[in-house]
């Protein structure tokens, strides 16, 4: 984040370049640099925009919105809900895998690395893109929310037929940013152990997303990771 412009895929940069030069984003960059001098920040700087670099704007088919990155060592790598190979899938991700198993009869994978989804057009973004180690939500309110709201609006404005999976009240609060006359929105409780039994289990969002993509002439997502 010390360079003048983030290392982000070119279709995203073209759409968001005004954000990167706006006062709030420049302040965000300065604040992040100060934070890095005092704390351990996740994910590493080179991985902050992983979701964008693996899923160009022109390739987005599905959006999965998380709240903020995992704050445990080695967990966050720039994709919402995902963890790198070799890291135990956290409870919410385990519940996502259980729903996919029940929905599509896909075995639960050993790895929680969701890069395969991202490369197929599933944009896995958190509303806040960084966090202090062991301090959940510590970077909410520093500017990332404004940036990622703009990301959602950009997808809504420039694309059509995208399936937005909004899990939990936080994600559903972004509904007003999405033009539902040209996109699809599927909502359910968050897959967290605290809410998963209120309707996430049984939501069948993965088969429903594929059906919507198929009906609109877009390639379905292969939700298998192994």
């Amino acid at each position: 984040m010390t360079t003048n412009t983030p290392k982000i895929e070119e279709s995203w940069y073209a759409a968001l370049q005004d954000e990167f030069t706006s006062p709030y984003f420049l302040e965000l960059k300065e604040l992040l640099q100060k934070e890095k001098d005092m704390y351990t920040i996740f994910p590493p700087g080179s991985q902050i925009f992983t979701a964008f670099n693996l899923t160009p704007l022109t390739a987005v088919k599905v959006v999965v919105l998380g709240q903020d990155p995992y704050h445990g060592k080695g967990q966050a790598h720039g994709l919402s809900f995902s963890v790198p190979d070799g890291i135990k899938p956290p409870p919410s991700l385990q519940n996502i895998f259980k729903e996919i198993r029940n929905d599509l009869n896909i075995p639960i994978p050993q790895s929680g690395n969701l890069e395969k989804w991202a490369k197929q057009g599933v944009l896995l973004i958190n509303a806040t893109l960084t966090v202090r180690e062991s301090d959940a939500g510590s970077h909410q309110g520093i500017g990332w929310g404004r940036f990622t709201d703009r990301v959602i609006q950009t997808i809504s404005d420039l694309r059509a037929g995208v399936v937005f999976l909004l899990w939990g009240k936080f994600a559903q609060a972004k509904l007003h940013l999405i033009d539902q006359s040209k996109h699809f929105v599927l909502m359910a409780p968050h897959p967290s152990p605290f809410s998963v039994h209120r309707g996430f289990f049984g939501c069948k969002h993965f088969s429903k997303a594929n059906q919507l993509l198929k009906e609109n002439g877009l390639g379905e997502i292969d939700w298998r990771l192994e």
Side-chain angles (χ1 to χ4, degrees), residues 51 62-71 74-85 87-97 100 109 111-115 117-118 122-129 164-172 188-193 195-196 200 205-206 223 225:
V62 177
V63 175
V64 176
L65 180 67
Q67 192 159 349
D68 63 337
Y70 296 125
H71 57 270
Q75 291 181 309
H77 66 141
L79 301 174
S80 62
F81 294 100
S82 179
V83 290
D85 292 324
I87 300 295
K88 181 181 178 181
S92 292
L93 182 55
Q94 292 180 34
N95 288 333
I96 290 170
F97 289 156
I100 292 174
S111 174
N113 190 333
L114 306 183
E115 288 182 6
W117 295 357
V122 182
L123 183 68
L124 298 157
I125 58 165
N126 288 306
T128 300
L129 297 186
F164 289 83
L165 304 183
L166 303 183
W167 300 331
K169 293 180 180 179
F170 180 88
Q172 290 159 16
H190 195 276
S192 160
S195 55
V196 68
F200 181 82
H205 277 186
F206 304 94
W223 297 104
L225 294 174

Side-chain angles (χ1 to χ4, degrees), residues 168-189:
K169 293 180 180 179
F170 180 88
Q172 290 159 16
K174 307 294 184 179
L175 183 63
H176 69 284
L177 302 171
I178 303 164
D179 183 348
Q180 294 183 72
S181 70
K182 57 189 284 199
H183 298 286
F184 306 99
V185 176
L186 300 177
M187 296 193 290

Side-chain angles (χ1 to χ4, degrees), residues 141-215:
I142 69 170
W144 281 128
R146 179 171 174 178
F147 175 74
T148 53
D149 278 0
R150 185 64 192 133
V151 170
I152 296 168
Q153 289 179 313
T154 296
I155 297 168
S156 181
D157 292 345
L158 299 184
R159 300 298 312 282
V162 172
V163 181
F164 289 83
L165 304 183
L166 303 183
W167 300 331
K169 293 180 180 179
F170 180 88
Q172 290 159 16
K174 307 294 184 179
L175 183 63
H176 69 284
L177 302 171
I178 303 164
D179 183 348
Q180 294 183 72
S181 70
K182 57 189 284 199
H183 298 286
F184 306 99
V185 176
L186 300 177
M187 296 193 290
H190 195 276
S192 160
F194 300 107
S195 55
V196 68
H197 292 287
R198 298 178 194 158
F200 181 82
F201 283 155
C203 70
K204 298 187 181 296
H205 277 186
F206 304 94
S207 61
K208 289 177 180 178
N210 273 351
Q211 185 62 33
L212 290 167
L213 293 173
K214 185 177 180 180
E215 289 172 358

